[in-house]
Structures are given as C-alpha cells and as structure tokens.
Amino acid sequence: MPKAKVTTNAIDSYISMLRDLGENVDDIAGEAVYEGAGIIADAVRKNINTIRTNGKDPWETKRRELQKDGLRNGLTTFEITNVGGRTEGGVGFAGYNKRGQANRKVANAFNSGTSFSSKQPFFERALRASRPQARKRVAEYVEQEFEKIVKG
C-alpha cells in the first residue's frame, strides 16, 4: 500500500481549529437552542392574546381573563440540557395563576378544549408558525459562532 507523509503547517492549523470547535460545541449548541426557543416563546406570547375570554356571565369572563394573565406571566423557556448527545430545550408554562390553577393545565385546557370550552389551539399555531424561523435562527447562530472560532 502506498503511503504519503504530509508535513505542512496547514494541517496543524486545521487540527487546532477542529479542536477548538470540539471544545465549544456543547456551549454553542445550548446557546443556539436558547435563541430558537426565544423566537417560539415570542410567538406563543403573541398568540396568548388571541384566546377568547368571553363567557356566559361576567364571572366566567373574569375567570378566563385571570387564567390568560397567568399564562402570560408563566410562559418560560425550559432548561437547555444535553441528553444522549442531543441538545434539548423547550417553551412552556410554569407556576400558578391567581386562582391557584397550574398554568400548564390551563394552557392545555385552552389549547385542546374541554367538554364545556371550545378548542383554541394558540400554542400549536404559534409553534407551527415560528418553527421555521427558529430553525433558521439556530442555524445562523451556529454558523456565526463557528466563523468566530475559525477566524480566531
């Protein structure tokens, strides 16, 4: 088998660059996912305003307004984690509203509907509408960070 021995400084610089990329991959991936989650969270925040709150009586309308306020206040980006070599994060609801109801359950009730309330898929619509923008932003962020490392 023929062998070739290459002795040039260009290879050393590429190897150094690959090492730098490898050391920072987890940090860059986490920051990129956070950027994408922010775009999705903004879309969900905007769609919360589309939830209908008119009820049969003033008490029900007020209850739904309190629930809607709880969703606005409870919207959060979940912790970004690395699970099995895959960087994951999310957008959802945390905490409780002023009536003591879990925001996560209220969001599910509005989004999926109940036996006495119509379906208002505000979360699903926001996710579908913002997912392409979020993916694009994640890719742009990763490319920007890699370019910074390559340029050194």
Side-chain angles (χ1 to χ4, degrees):
M1 274 234 167
K3 291 185 180 180
K5 186 175 181 182
V6 179
T7 54
T8 137
N9 292 336
I11 291 176
D12 292 338
S13 66
Y14 281 121
I15 290 171
S16 174
M17 179 181 64
L18 289 172
R19 267 194 213 110
D20 290 343
L21 290 174
E23 290 173 1
N24 298 322
V25 164
D26 289 340
D27 293 337
I28 292 170
E31 292 167 3
V33 168
Y34 187 77
E35 290 279 327
I39 290 172
I40 293 172
D42 290 342
V44 171
R45 190 172 293 112
K46 183 179 169 186
N47 271 10
I48 288 173
N49 295 327
T50 67
I51 297 173
R52 294 181 312 277
T53 56
N54 54 336
K56 296 176 186 175
D57 55 36
W59 178 85
E60 190 171 340
T61 300
K62 183 178 178 181
R63 176 181 60 86
R64 289 181 183 177
E65 283 294 333
L66 286 174
Q67 290 172 331
K68 195 170 161 180
D69 286 340
L71 294 179
R72 282 189 200 103
N73 296 331
L75 183 64
T76 185
T77 303
F78 294 155
E79 181 180 350
I80 311 287
T81 58
N82 190 335
V83 180
R86 183 176 173 176
T87 304
E88 297 179 346
V91 175
F93 298 93
Y96 296 86
N97 63 24
K98 291 181 181 177
R99 300 191 74 228
Q101 299 167 317
N103 287 324
R104 189 176 282 180
K105 287 191 174 195
V106 171
N108 188 46
F110 276 127
N111 200 54
S112 302
T114 63
S115 59
F116 57 87
S117 177
S118 64
K119 181 178 180 177
Q120 300 182 62
F122 74 98
F123 194 85
E124 292 172 9
R125 287 181 182 151
L127 189 60
R128 276 196 307 270
S130 63
R131 188 178 285 149
Q133 294 168 333
R135 285 183 177 153
K136 182 179 177 185
R137 178 62 191 135
V138 167
E140 287 172 355
Y141 186 86
V142 168
E143 288 175 12
Q144 289 170 359
E145 292 299 312
F146 283 172
E147 284 179 17
K148 287 179 189 175
I149 291 172
V150 170
K151 289 180 181 177

